[in-house]
Amino acid sequence: MAPSGEGNGTPSSGIQAPGFSGRVVVALSGGGVRAAFFGIGVLLYLVRSGANKSVSQLISVSGGSVPNAALAISGDFSQMSEEEFSRPMSELASKLSRNGTFFIAPKAKLLVLVWTMPIVGIVTILAENVVANLFPNVPGVEAHDGNLGQIALDGLSTAFVGGAVAFLILVVFRARLQRRGFARLLENVASEAPTALSGLPVCNVRHVLCATDLESGQPFYFMRDRIFSSWLGQAPTPESVKLADALYASSAFPVVFPPLKFKTRDVVFTGGASGKQRPQVLRLADGGVYNNLGHDFPELWLSELRMSPPEGFSAPLDTVEPQMLIVNGSSPPKPKTRIFSKYLRTFIVMYENTVQPRLRLLRESTSNGPRPIIVDVDMTPDDAVAESRSMLGDDPAGRKRAEDVDSALKEFASGFWMRIAQQSTSTKTTLSAIGHDRAALLMQHGYYSAMAALHIRFGFRLEPLPERFFQTFAGLPRD
């Protein structure tokens, strides 16, 4: 049975703000490590302003699932103080900025092995040659004919074979290695946390990791107590599913990583549109394949609960639509060389025809519910102020709050936020390390963009922070 308050539509305790009452649903987009850090900045503002007390669902895709998973094992986000939030998230930020989340970290032994293989091959051949000349009667050791160039060529041939084998091993086992890498990352955040998804602590916030079911072409959602797809229906989360598995599925970008094979033989689904004929094995890929924003979960989940409530489910369903906060940390790649421009053009077209149209429709929404707030890495905090102003209408208090945000942003040098946004969007969509400075910049960008939008719209507290705070948060030593 799902606990009252864990994403069932029941409001949490909430906070007092001049223009807000109710629940907040946060959706963290994909976008690699860039999206992870941008999202951490937004989440930090929610905690410092007290807005986290109103969060009932935290939904994520791909890179955004990294901080989501880390928070899921760290306690109840809606009840966290700044210190309780900063303890695990600063550890995560430090690890991500230094090593990223890719299973081959910058100093990984496997990567070193591949790069040093030619040297090892040449040295091996030379050593055999020296030994054979000094000790001609040693069995199994023969001198290599030819000059030094020939010996080097033989060494390179040996190295090529060894390197090809090592590369093949990486390709074949990359899914397993990446899942282990995610598991180690989460262990660093909370060493004693449960590894099973179903073993996560019960809390007021429903943490949702989004993947894409390649069979149906529909989203597939992992939660502590349920797995869900509008096509398959819902089922209790199997004890065999680990949090690292869900994180992998959410970020298994096609070609780079194979989809997660999820066996459904022993899983009993209820509801759904597929009927009784369900595949025995699902292939789950990056959630961004279907929707890189992940914002469609609340409506789908509420509809499922109304049509097929789980056995023993008794929590009332709130009919008040929550306030959606969409954090978009994705941005189209910006090719710097002609070598990869055609390859990267594929991703640019995907972004322009999937993410951008969704963002445009969300901004132009005319539904009766609350208009979503979009915190976008492509926008500066000044842009967030302008967009929020356009939604105020005849609201003198809101206009006054906008002036207060303007004053807070002007504490920084002219052109500062434009440079911040340019550097943010130029950060590659990657799982690799990006360094402390870039990580701090992305968190600061997300923090101030969220502060601008949420203070103007609802009066959540203004909580400016010095730039050095984010650098320390990202793992740089304190002064």
Side-chain angles (χ1 to χ4, degrees), residues 67-108:
N68 192 6
L71 281 176
I73 62 175
S74 301
D76 191 338
F77 176 66
S78 68
Q79 303 301 316
M80 282 183 178
S81 64
E82 181 181 352
E83 180 181 356
E84 291 168 333
F85 173 85
S86 297
R87 194 181 304 118
M89 297 311 286
S90 61
E91 180 68 24
L92 176 68
S94 178
K95 296 293 183 184
L96 286 180
S97 62
R98 289 201 309 268
N99 301 320
T101 64
F102 196 47
F103 69 90
I104 302 181
K107 297 181 181 179

Side-chain angles (χ1 to χ4, degrees), residues 73 176-191 195 242-245 247:
I73 62 175
R176 184 177 300 179
L177 292 169
Q178 184 62 42
R179 285 154 67 182
R180 287 184 179 179
F182 280 139
R184 286 195 299 270
L185 180 66
L186 295 174
E187 286 174 5
N188 288 326
V189 173
S191 58
T195 58
K242 299 184 183 301
L243 178 59
D245 296 335
L247 179 53

